[in-house]
Every structure is written in C-alpha cells, then in structure tokens.
Amino acid sequence: MEATQEKRENKMGTMPVNKLLINMSLPMMISMLVQALYNIVDSIFVSRIDENALTAVSMAFPIQSLMIAIGVGTGVGVNALLSRSLGEKDFEKADKTAVNGIFLSAVSYLVFLIVGIFVTTPFYLSQTNDTQIIDYGKQYLTIICCASFGMYTQFIFERLLQSTGRTFHTMITQGTGAVINIFLDPIFIFGYFGIPRMGVAGAAVATVMGQIIAGTLAIIINVKKNTDINLNLKRFVPDIKIIGQIYQVGIPSIIMQAIGSVMTYGMNKILISFSSTAVAVFGVYFKLQSFVFMPVFGLNNGMVPIIAFNFGAGKRGRMVQTLKFSIFYAVGLMAAGVLIFQIFPAKLFALFDASQSMLAIGVPALRIISISFLFAGFGIVCGSLFQALGNGVYSMIVSIARQLVVLLPAAYLLSLLGEVSYVWWAFPIAELISFAVTIFFLIRISNKVIKRMGEGND
C-alpha cells in the first residue's frame, strides 16, 4: 500500500519545477563532475608514463565512445519510456521496460566482449604504424572492452534510479566508482603496495574495477530502495514491443553518440598527419571539456525524466518551465567553461606534463574550440527534450549535421592550409550551424507537440 501511494504521488508531478530540477539534477551534476575528474586523473597518470601512452589512450576514445553510446542510448530509451509509463500510471509497462532494459545491456556487453578479443589490434593499425602506441593501445582497450560488463550494469541500473526520480542514489553509485578508479589508478599503473607495475594496462584495470563496484552497488540500491518498479527476472522473455519502444528513442541517441566516435576517429586521422602530439592534444581536450560538459549532461539526466513524466501526465506548463530553467542553467555552465578555457589553457595542459610542443598546439586549440561552448549548452538541452518527447530523430539529425556534414569536412579542408591551428576552427563553425538547425526543430516540436497538449493539473 505504501509503495502504491509513493507511485501515485511521485514528486516529478507535484514539486515546484525549479526546486524539482535542482533536486534531481544537482546530485547528477556532482556525480558527473566526479566522473569527469576521474577521466582527467586517468589521463594525468598515463601521461606520466610517456606521451605515446597518452596518445594510445586518446586513440582508444572512438571505441570507448561507441561503448558509451550504446549504453547511454539504450538508457535514454529506457529512461523516457519508464518515466512516461509512471506518469501514465501504467506500472506494469514500467516494470517490463526495466527488465527489458537489463536484457539489452547484457546483449551490449557480449558485443563488446567480441570487439575486445578480435578488433583492438586492427583498430590501432588503421590509425598508426608506431609499434609502441599500438602495444599500449592493445593493452588498454582489450581490458576496457572485455570487462565492460561492469560499465553496462552501472549504466542500466543507474538509469532505473534516474527514471524514478532517485538521482541522489545515482550520485552515490557514480561517485563510488569514480573514487575507486582514482584511488586505484596510481597503484596499478606505477605498482604500489606490492602490486606489480602494470603501466597503461593498470589504468584500464582501475577503470573496470570502479565500474564493476559501482554497477554492483546500483543493483543493490534498486532492489532495496526503488519501490516504483518491480525487477522480476523469473521466466523473463524479451518483449519485442517494449524493446521497439525503447529503441524508438534509444537508436537515434545511439546513432547520435556513435557519430561522435566516427568524428573522433576522423579527427585523429586528420591530426596524425601533423604529429602524434596533435592527437594527444585532441585527447587532452576531450578530457578537459568533459569537466564542462558533464555537469550539463547531469542537468539533462535530471531534466529528461521530469519532462517525460509530465508529458505522460499531460502537464504542459511544467514541461515548458523545466525546459526554460534547464536552458538557463546549461548556458550559464557553458559560459563559465569558456572563461576557464580562455584564461587558463596553459595551466590546464600543465596538469598533463605537457611538453613545449604540446603547449604550442594545445593553448590555441583550447581557446578556439571553447568558442563553440556558447552554443552547445542550448543544443544539448534541446536535444534531450526531443528524446524525452519521443522525437530522438531530431537530435540525431542535428548531431549528423554538426559532426559529419560540417565538422569533419571543415576540419579536413582547413587542414589543407598546412597549419594545425586552423583545424580547430571547425568546431565553432559546426556548432553555429547546429544551433540554427536546433532552433528550427524546437519551433517545429513546439507547434506540433507541446502546444497541442492539454494542461492537465498544472
């Protein structure tokens, strides 16, 4: 009876919107900041081995990004469908969504187990002939892929917590995994406390151990604390209809993020024609920008279930308020990121034991690329709105336009000018064009979906 009452009075439909958004997003933003911190710390320790080790880890990013794309994209689909089902008070569908999401995460792991065994060597050979970089990369990426069951467990069970408004618990699981990773990194990389020195492989082992522990903790919290869903896996049979609805939102999100893998791979190919240092700079940029973008993604993770829930409940006013507050906070966070990148680029690179040649390439890179942040915050929030309302294809189109239609061709054409500094201008050019496309889709979805909703009990 108590569980039913909690379901009936979920805070996503009753709490004042700004308070609700902060209440749900702040724990996610904190946990995402911790995630960004451990990503940066990971590369800081690896850079102490040598620059080739940093380059190898940077080159692994397209595969890692693809792994994350599938996990997060599936989670976005589960999140939107589960939250909407709760808003519609269809608790049986919410339960089915949860268990089918767990099944899809298990399948995703099996795919990357195969990738880890068979694909890592040809993947590195396609990017470089440097035997040391290839050796470092194989060590790192094989472990990351073959032990990715921890990551996929963490992704899906954290999404179940987010979907039901329990973002504080997600902060606990993500924070625990990140702290464990940070603590184990130097021990495994450099060999402390009787542990043999593992080098680049040690960074991978620390990462997967953090993910396994965080995933286990997320399972325990769901079983003990998440009263909105019933995770009964006995006699489970995949539900094709539910899976289709999950991927109606999830596949555009997967494609959208997988495009990032293609973009990163393409940029690495363009930059390696200048030097391996340029590739390392690009890898460092990705680590640093995550410290700016991750809080915005945390904001989104709090925003999506609120919008999906109130969409299911027919509460248009709460949806619109949530969107406005989210855009305001996202743009503010991005503006702070621009200031940091413009004022302190050399100090940021100093964290990675940067050589003079890396500083010469990296300082202008951070200053030029960060201009694009001014438009990115708005685009990220609107993209998540499209996904929450079941129109993830809009987000996919924007992402394709930005990263494949504009960014990579622009970067290639600018590289023909012979100076690596010109390549970085592809980022603000692409972001400006995607901003215009996002505005077009926002107006379209507002006219076709949002304005046609009833007000419900706002």
Side-chain angles (χ1 to χ4, degrees), residues 369-388:
I369 297 175
S370 64
I371 297 170
S372 65
F373 295 177
L374 296 171
F375 308 102
F378 176 84
I380 291 169
V381 170
C382 290
S384 293
L385 169 73
F386 302 153
Q387 292 168 2

Side-chain angles (χ1 to χ4, degrees), residues 27 36-37 62 131 143 149 161 179 196 209 218 229 236 265 313 332 385 454:
L37 178 63
T131 55
I143 294 169
F149 60 87
L161 293 171
V179 169
M209 287 189 69
I229 52 176
F236 167 74
Y265 181 82
L385 169 73

